[in-house]
Amino acid sequence: MKNVAVFGAGRIGRIHAGNLARLPGVNLKYVCDPFGDSAAQLAQQLGAQVATMDDALLDKSIDAVVIGSPTTTHSDLITRAAAAGKHIFCEKPVDLSVPRAVECGEKVRAAGVACMIGFQRRFDPTFNEVRSRIDAGQIGNPEMLVITSRDPGAPPVEYIKASGGIFRDMLIHDFDVFRWILCGDGDEAEWLSATGSVLTDPAVGEAGDFDSTAVTIRTKQGRLCQINTTRRAAYGYDQRFEVLGSAGMLQAGNHAPSEVRQWDANGIKADKPEAFFLQRYAAAYRLEIEHFFECLQTGAAFRTTVHDGVKAQILADAAAESARSGQPVKL
């Protein structure tokens, strides 16, 4: 039985805590959050105890920590957990600073603990099926990837101000998908061009960010990727991509609450895509936390590591630089 502490009782912490509580062989012992009421409510709901992060790290019975706290706390908590000898699952990103993320990875390696970074899209069953078919050679050599990633609405402006910007907060998932789908044989990005606009809410621009972006990436082997994103899609949470290969194409489409189509004299009706990431990636969040503990049990390598977090962050920084300067970036 693995004893686990969850750091963070907000939206993402609640997702991970709920999945942990249902996982065989895992005991959710502590919920830790500076907001005591949130921690107490979640702990009571799941049969756990409330503790401070310091006390959880000092408890020798804790085998692993799951970090779902705000982005600005991630690298510090990873470093502290590693020093305490705990295995670590941490939500993306490692840190908004690439040098700090690299340093964090070095400290994890020095401590000899395992650390997985939560890029949940690699665990989405639909997306993962695409990766499996690429590996099976069903479309030959992958050559071009087009990613559409659109939120139903922008988060509060106060969140945007602290998020690191749309490229680091939102597109970091798409940069990881790019590396996972198009660079599976060791290829990496060589050139990137990005642009952004404020089309949905002037307050986003006043906060110093974009709400709509377009990114083009070329790899060292000449493969191409285009990513389009917006913080407003009136029809729901739009998450899909297609990859073109030398022998065919694979498409991964949206999920909807049901797959029923109604045909009548007025036209054809269907459900909109899932409302947001909590619904769209519910299975992915469950499967990634299962993967974390399976790898701890078997000693297998994690699918997503600090290295992947650093690589995605480098692309996010390059995109932010390109969008601000109007010039492409050589990587």
Side-chain angles (χ1 to χ4, degrees), residues 312-327:
Q313 198 68 40
I314 288 171
L315 292 173
D317 284 0
E321 177 187 343
S322 177
R324 297 296 178 192
S325 69
Q327 300 295 320

Side-chain angles (χ1 to χ4, degrees), residues 76-110:
D76 177 60
L77 289 175
I78 291 173
T79 301
R80 290 171 58 194
K86 315 300 185 188
H87 300 302
I88 305 152
F89 175 95
C90 183
E91 268 301 313
K92 66 80 188 170
V94 179
D95 195 281
L96 292 175
S97 161
V98 169
R100 283 199 299 268
V102 171
E103 181 183 7
C104 190
E106 291 170 350
K107 290 182 178 179
V108 166
R109 284 190 292 274

Side-chain angles (χ1 to χ4, degrees), residues 9 14 31 35-48 50:
R14 297 182 71 86
V31 175
F35 294 96
D37 290 346
S38 297
Q41 182 185 46
L42 183 58
Q44 182 179 22
Q45 178 185 338
L46 299 177
V50 175

Side-chain angles (χ1 to χ4, degrees), residues 124-196:
D124 175 72
T126 300
F127 291 175
N128 197 52
E129 178 66 16
V130 171
R131 178 70 257 179
S132 296
R133 295 191 189 195
I134 291 172
D135 291 341
Q138 293 186 13
I139 61 165
N141 182 38
E143 298 170 344
M144 186 176 295
L145 174 66
V146 179
I147 301 174
T148 294
S149 182
R150 301 169 183 162
D151 280 1
V157 171
E158 291 306 312
Y159 173 87
I160 289 174
K161 290 178 179 178
S163 69
I166 191 170
F167 294 109
R168 299 180 181 92
D169 171 55
M170 184 175 170
L171 274 87
I172 195 165
H173 282 293
D174 305 302
F175 293 133
D176 184 65
V177 168
F178 152 73
R179 293 189 63 249
W180 176 49
I181 294 295
L182 214 54
C183 304
D185 58 359
D187 196 7
E188 290 285 358
E190 180 181 59
W191 178 96
L192 181 151
S193 178
T195 189

Side-chain angles (χ1 to χ4, degrees), residues 10 37 44 54 79 102 114 189 248 264 274 281 286 289 302 305 315 323:
D37 290 346
Q44 182 179 22
D54 288 337
T79 301
V102 171
D264 58 31
E274 292 283 12
Y281 291 114
R286 174 178 54 81
I289 211 72
F302 295 136
T305 64
L315 292 173

Side-chain angles (χ1 to χ4, degrees), residues 63-331:
D63 301 291
V65 299
V66 172
I67 301 172
S69 51
T71 293
T72 52
T73 67
H74 287 184
S75 61
D76 177 60
L77 289 175
I78 291 173
T79 301
R80 290 171 58 194
K86 315 300 185 188
H87 300 302
I88 305 152
F89 175 95
C90 183
E91 268 301 313
K92 66 80 188 170
V94 179
D95 195 281
L96 292 175
S97 161
V98 169
R100 283 199 299 268
V102 171
E103 181 183 7
C104 190
E106 291 170 350
K107 290 182 178 179
V108 166
R109 284 190 292 274
V113 297
C115 183
M116 176 177 163
I117 303 301
F119 286 110
Q120 92 281 16
R121 295 184 191 183
R122 295 200 190 200
F123 295 87
D124 175 72
T126 300
F127 291 175
N128 197 52
E129 178 66 16
V130 171
R131 178 70 257 179
S132 296
R133 295 191 189 195
I134 291 172
D135 291 341
Q138 293 186 13
I139 61 165
N141 182 38
E143 298 170 344
M144 186 176 295
L145 174 66
V146 179
I147 301 174
T148 294
S149 182
R150 301 169 183 162
D151 280 1
V157 171
E158 291 306 312
Y159 173 87
I160 289 174
K161 290 178 179 178
S163 69
I166 191 170
F167 294 109
R168 299 180 181 92
D169 171 55
M170 184 175 170
L171 274 87
I172 195 165
H173 282 293
D174 305 302
F175 293 133
D176 184 65
V177 168
F178 152 73
R179 293 189 63 249
W180 176 49
I181 294 295
L182 214 54
C183 304
D185 58 359
D187 196 7
E188 290 285 358
E190 180 181 59
W191 178 96
L192 181 151
S193 178
T195 189
S197 294
V198 179
L199 300 175
T200 75
D201 187 349
V204 174
E206 292 167 6
D209 201 8
F210 304 111
D211 57 29
S212 308
T213 68
V215 180
T216 301
I217 306 171
R218 186 177 68 237
T219 74
K220 293 177 181 178
Q221 295 184 26
R223 294 164 174 156
L224 297 174
C225 174
Q226 292 179 315
I227 307 169
N228 73 87
T229 57
T230 178
R231 292 223 186 249
R232 180 185 63 196
Y235 51 86
Y237 189 46
D238 193 354
Q239 298 285 294
R240 51 196 161 91
F241 67 78
E242 65 179 37
V243 55
L244 179 68
S246 57
M249 179 178 71
L250 292 167
Q251 292 182 323
N254 281 314
H255 290 188
S258 82
E259 297 304 318
V260 176
R261 301 290 186 270
Q262 178 178 328
W263 301 56
D264 58 31
N266 296 316
I268 304 169
K269 299 176 184 178
D271 286 351
K272 295 188 295 183
E274 292 283 12
F276 206 19
F277 72 94
L278 298 176
Q279 296 84 9
R280 171 64 179 83
Y281 291 114
Y285 282 118
R286 174 178 54 81
L287 291 168
E288 71 174 354
I289 211 72
E290 289 179 3
H291 173 77
F292 174 69
F293 285 101
E294 286 172 2
C295 289
L296 291 184
Q297 183 71 27
T298 64
F302 295 136
R303 288 191 205 172
T304 52
T305 64
V306 173
H307 172 75
D308 296 305
V310 169
K311 287 291 189 179
Q313 198 68 40
I314 288 171
L315 292 173
D317 284 0
E321 177 187 343
S322 177
R324 297 296 178 192
S325 69
Q327 300 295 320
V329 174
K330 180 82 171 176
L331 295 157

